[in-house]
Amino acid sequence: MNLIGTLPLVLDVKTLFFIINKGLQGNVCGQEFLDIILMAAAFDQKVVVLFEGDGVNALLKNQQPECLNLKNMMPVLDTLPVYDINDVIVEKESMEVYGLTENELAIKAAVVSRSDIKKRLRSADHLFGF
Amino acid sequence: MLAELARDEDGFLINRNQWSEGVAEAMALEDGLTLTASHWDIIYFMQAYYDEFNHQPNARLFARAIKKKLGAEKGASIYLYKLFPDGPLKYANKYAGLPIPPSCI
Amino acid sequence: MLYIVNKKGEVLKDCVERLTSHDVILLIEDAVLAAVKTSPSSVISTLASDISVYALRSDMKARGLDAQRCYERIQYVDYAGFVELVENNKPVRSCF
Amino acid sequence: MKISIQINASPYQHQAADTAWHFIQAALEAGHEVYRVFFYHDGIFNACRDSRPPGDERDIVKRWSALQSEKGVDLVVCVSSAQRRGLLEKSVAKKVGGYIHAVADGFRIAGLGLLMESVIESDRHLTFGA
């Protein structure tokens, strides 16, 4: 590590949960929300991305918003590991509501029960939704 | 060569299909810059990133992504600014034939 | 954990399903309607007793809603109380 | 405590900007610090200088400007949200031949970095949306 000539820059690290509970297509808010998520990672914060409720459908493969001339957000989800965002979770109960299984998801996400998610949420500093 | 291309007020290509390495070199030359192998590393990286992720990073993410892919040295701001003195994000996108990022207008 | 909810329907339902012991929920804007006793009863009446339910007084007043028409368990706060809830609970989830 | 505020909805169409404003008044009154108000998504329309509500109605934009000039609260409008929706900062507007007086007094246009800083610095982050 090169410390010579470098100011000791101490950035506070917070645990931030980003909750996606609706689709990412159809309006630009999902796209803009992903920008915040990536930015949090670029600021070296502890980032957790949570899909729950209707938002589990945002993980479906084969979404084709191009047919409406909308930007496809699915490839953007693939940037999460580029910025070292690996803590991606999806609520088990919401998956069951829509009868989804893990192999129907477009990206790697850990399936976690509602009660275990709640335990993790309680230790978060800030929660974001859109 | 550049005169017949459709470009916006910052000289960015409107239609990426018109991009070629020659066009990139001509656009850079117009800005007073001669592209070297180090520039091309970044330009090709931008194109590959855009094609894979359908996404344009902002300046901070851009440096982050380069660091991840090409190593810490090339993702360093000082290095990137040496290559593109008027703004690495803007000019790497420009010579790659990609749209102008919102923060660069 | 504090939930701030601003509308009834799915948004409130999604939130209520995720409330657990000692959570606090604050109804604001159009969600204050959920404080009113209804027939059949609203989801608010089904909540466990260790969950605190608040409604923002000015949003009640603006909509002509009287506390007498509301479930007894509802507590009322003004904006100063809203700020105190935010101060005393962490994290805060805004549901809209 | 230090509070960070994010506003995601346009004024008048929804109560979010009103609720946020009343909340901020009460927080300041109680001696808390409002670190920054960040306008995102359609929230950027809170910064439209030419908003002209009828004279007998609250003027949401002027109210924000006053919050900045009287209480020194930092008002930041997200640059990419704003550009997408046609609210340009003076220098950009000049360059592209756009309207140069679009942004009301007291607001500044900046990137998501300022949202992240606000979130990291604050004890609470509250989002008001539609």
Side-chain angles (χ1 to χ4, degrees):
Chain A
M1 223 161 52
N2 174 24
L3 293 172
I4 302 158
T6 310
L7 281 171
L9 181 65
V10 183
L11 253 182
D12 207 1
V13 177
K14 302 226 158 149
T15 302
L16 311 178
F17 267 73
F18 293 88
I19 304 170
I20 295 173
N21 61 1
K22 48 181 86 94
L24 292 172
Q25 321 289 1
N27 63 37
V28 85
C29 291
Q31 184 181 338
E32 290 177 334
F33 190 64
L34 288 179
D35 284 340
I36 303 185
I37 299 176
L38 299 180
M39 203 56 175
F43 273 77
D44 299 309
Q45 301 300 297
K46 228 175 144 246
V47 173
V48 187
V49 184
L50 162 63
F51 291 84
E52 66 170 35
D54 292 348
V56 295
N57 295 292
L59 289 170
L60 282 180
K61 290 174 183 166
N62 203 30
Q63 299 178 52
Q64 297 169 58
E66 296 90 345
C67 70
L68 292 170
N69 209 5
L70 299 171
K71 191 179 170 84
N72 192 346
M73 297 314 293
M74 296 317 288
V76 184
L77 284 180
D78 290 328
T79 65
L80 296 177
V82 173
Y83 302 106
D84 299 314
I85 301 171
N86 299 308
D87 203 349
V88 181
I89 57 180
V90 50
E91 192 192 68
K92 186 168 163 282
E93 285 79 351
S94 302
M95 294 270 287
E96 285 164 5
V97 167
Y98 285 98
L100 293 176
T101 56
E102 244 175 295
N103 54 23
E104 287 171 277
L105 306 184
I107 62 168
K108 219 174 124 236
V111 181
V112 183
S113 73
R114 187 170 287 174
S115 59
D116 285 342
I117 288 173
K118 190 56 178 272
K119 281 179 208 144
R120 296 198 60 192
L121 278 179
R122 286 186 184 282
S123 65
D125 289 297
H126 302 302
L127 312 179
F128 292 79
F130 72 99
Chain B
M1 160 171 232
L2 292 179
E4 60 228 49
L5 301 174
R7 297 196 293 156
D8 71 8
E9 56 261 279
D10 288 278
F12 282 62
L13 287 181
I14 304 286
N15 180 359
R16 190 179 159 193
N17 293 334
Q18 295 188 317
W19 184 89
S20 66
E21 284 164 351
V23 166
E25 278 166 350
M27 287 197 292
L29 216 56
E30 185 186 50
D31 296 333
L33 203 67
T34 305
L35 298 181
T36 65
S38 307
H39 293 96
W40 284 111
D41 280 348
I42 307 296
I43 292 168
Y44 290 139
F45 169 81
M46 290 310 287
Q47 292 179 331
Y49 180 96
Y50 187 80
D51 289 340
E52 183 176 0
F53 302 121
N54 196 23
H55 178 247
Q56 277 195 298
N58 63 26
R60 202 175 175 109
L61 295 174
F62 164 70
R64 214 19 108 89
I66 288 175
K67 206 171 280 181
K68 180 103 177 176
K69 184 82 183 176
L70 305 175
E73 206 178 298
K74 297 196 172 181
S77 296
I78 299 175
Y79 174 82
L80 292 169
Y81 268 95
K82 258 189 198 143
L83 289 178
F84 304 97
D86 292 327
L89 178 67
K90 178 171 178 175
Y91 289 91
N93 273 296
K94 181 176 177 180
Y95 307 142
L98 299 172
I100 186 166
S103 52
C104 296
I105 297 174
Chain C
M1 189 168 151
L2 169 65
Y3 291 77
I4 303 168
V5 187
N6 83 338
K7 60 178 78 68
K8 286 182 60 184
E10 286 288 310
V11 173
L12 179 64
K13 188 175 147 275
D14 280 353
C15 167
V16 160
E17 283 173 354
R18 288 169 179 81
L19 293 173
T20 53
S21 278
H22 308 299
D23 279 339
V24 180
I25 177 168
L26 169 64
L27 308 170
I28 66 168
E29 298 172 2
D30 285 343
V32 293
L33 265 179
V36 178
K37 276 185 203 159
T38 52
S39 169
S41 332
S42 90
V43 284
I44 292 299
S45 66
T46 66
L47 290 172
S49 57
D50 59 1
I51 291 165
S52 308
V53 188
Y54 290 86
L56 191 57
R57 201 177 273 129
S58 46
D59 277 320
M60 300 273 300
K61 198 173 165 187
R63 289 161 179 78
L65 302 175
D66 196 283
Q68 282 178 334
R69 288 177 54 202
C70 296
Y71 292 104
E72 285 77 20
R73 64 175 305 157
I74 309 279
Q75 304 173 68
Y76 301 93
V77 283
D78 52 16
Y79 275 97
F82 184 173
V83 174
E84 278 173 31
L85 286 177
V86 168
E87 189 176 14
N88 297 333
N89 293 281
K90 186 186 168 184
V92 179
R93 175 157 183 195
S94 302
C95 307
F96 47 82
Chain D
M1 85 184 139
K2 273 190 203 173
I3 308 169
S4 163
I5 303 281
Q6 182 181 335
I7 296 179
N8 285 357
S10 66
Y12 302 111
Q13 173 88 5
H14 193 273
Q15 210 186 327
D18 290 289
T19 304
W21 186 82
H22 288 294
F23 177 87
I24 290 167
Q25 296 298 315
L28 294 174
E29 190 84 8
H32 299 296
E33 180 190 344
V34 175
Y35 190 84
R36 178 167 295 142
V37 184
F38 194 84
F39 297 87
Y40 204 55
H41 302 308
D42 279 3
I44 63 105
F45 291 114
N46 281 274
C48 280
R49 180 188 299 275
D50 272 347
S51 162
R52 287 284 184 280
D56 60 346
E57 287 180 25
R58 73 210 188 286
D59 190 326
I60 294 179
V61 176
K62 283 218 168 64
R63 209 163 61 179
W64 288 124
S65 295
L67 187 71
Q68 197 282 324
S69 65
E70 289 162 19
K71 308 277 171 65
V73 174
D74 191 18
L75 309 177
V76 175
V77 180
C78 172
V79 60
S80 47
S81 285
Q83 281 185 10
R84 177 176 278 125
R85 293 166 179 81
L87 187 77
L88 301 182
E89 190 227 325
K90 195 175 255 178
S91 65
V92 175
K94 248 182 210 161
K95 201 181 122 188
V96 300
Y99 178 51
I100 62 166
H101 300 297
V103 182
D105 291 338
F107 292 87
R108 57 189 181 121
I109 297 214
L112 274 181
L114 288 195
L115 172 65
M116 286 333 300
E117 187 213 12
S118 179
V119 165
I120 295 166
E121 289 292 323
S122 298
D123 304 301
R124 297 288 184 277
H125 176 71
L126 254 70
T127 309
F128 294 89

